[in-house]
Amino acid sequence: MRLTFITALVTLLADQILKWAVVVGLNLREILLIEVWPPYLTLSMAWNRGVNFGLFADESPILRWVLIVLPVVVTVWVWRWVRREGGRPLMRASAGLLIGGALGNAIDRLVWGAVADFLNVSCCGFTNPWAFNVADIAIFVGAFGLILAAGGKTPRDDRASMG
């Protein structure tokens, strides 16, 4: 569980430090747009009051608190699940990414009332209308890693136990 804790802590710190540096330090909350490497990388301020891609966004205080409590519940569940499973390093690191990202976005909702999204990546003639942050990347990569690592067995392990 040490790997899970360290990965979660590093993810959470990286997310919060980068958000603070960009939103406050570069004053993106007022400037709203900084072209870093046009058209590939733009910092574009977006306050996400909903879930992924701003779905279900509204100003409801009830939704805000649900979206603060839910990541904490998911964090506790994932932590207990990985602890119970023992898990390979991929599972423990993936859990840490998911936990760090989930808590990073929950902290945003507590501090700012919404998740601070600002990374906008476009390429090859496709203009991406959405912004995201380090926590979103960590949640996605962590969830994908957990799917790959879940169960701790490979098809090869299953065949060996059949024979």
Side-chain angles (χ1 to χ4, degrees):
M1 293 308 293
R2 182 180 178 98
L3 178 59
T4 303
F5 177 78
I6 290 170
T7 305
L9 183 61
V10 168
T11 302
L12 177 63
L13 289 174
D15 174 67
Q16 291 297 298
I17 289 168
L18 187 58
K19 283 176 182 169
W20 188 260
V22 171
V23 174
V24 177
L26 294 177
N27 198 23
L28 189 65
R29 61 185 168 179
E30 291 184 28
I31 295 171
L32 301 178
L33 183 73
I34 299 172
E35 292 185 340
V36 177
W37 186 26
Y40 306 107
L41 176 61
T42 303
L43 302 179
S44 175
M45 192 70 240
W47 293 104
N48 186 351
R49 288 174 169 49
V51 294
N52 290 3
F53 306 111
L55 295 173
F56 310 113
D58 67 19
E59 298 292 326
S60 165
I62 293 171
L63 179 63
R64 176 181 174 215
W65 284 104
V66 166
L67 293 176
I68 291 169
V69 171
L70 184 61
V72 174
V73 169
V74 168
T75 293
V76 170
W77 184 84
V78 168
W79 182 271
R80 292 182 74 211
W81 174 54
V82 171
R83 187 170 174 213
R84 184 179 60 244
E85 291 290 319
R88 296 180 287 178
L90 173 62
M91 186 177 199
R92 293 192 302 266
S94 296
L97 287 169
L98 191 143
I99 289 168
L103 293 177
N105 282 344
I107 288 170
D108 284 9
R109 291 181 195 284
L110 278 171
V111 173
W112 288 321
V115 173
D117 289 333
F118 53 86
L119 295 170
N120 180 275
V121 179
S122 296
C123 180
C124 314
F126 172 75
T127 302
N128 179 11
W130 296 288
F132 55 94
N133 60 45
V134 171
D136 296 337
I137 297 166
I139 292 166
F140 178 81
V141 172
F144 188 73
L146 284 173
I147 290 167
L148 290 177
K153 290 185 178 180
T154 65
R156 177 182 218 134
D157 295 335
D158 290 340
R159 280 185 276 143
S161 65
M162 295 170 123

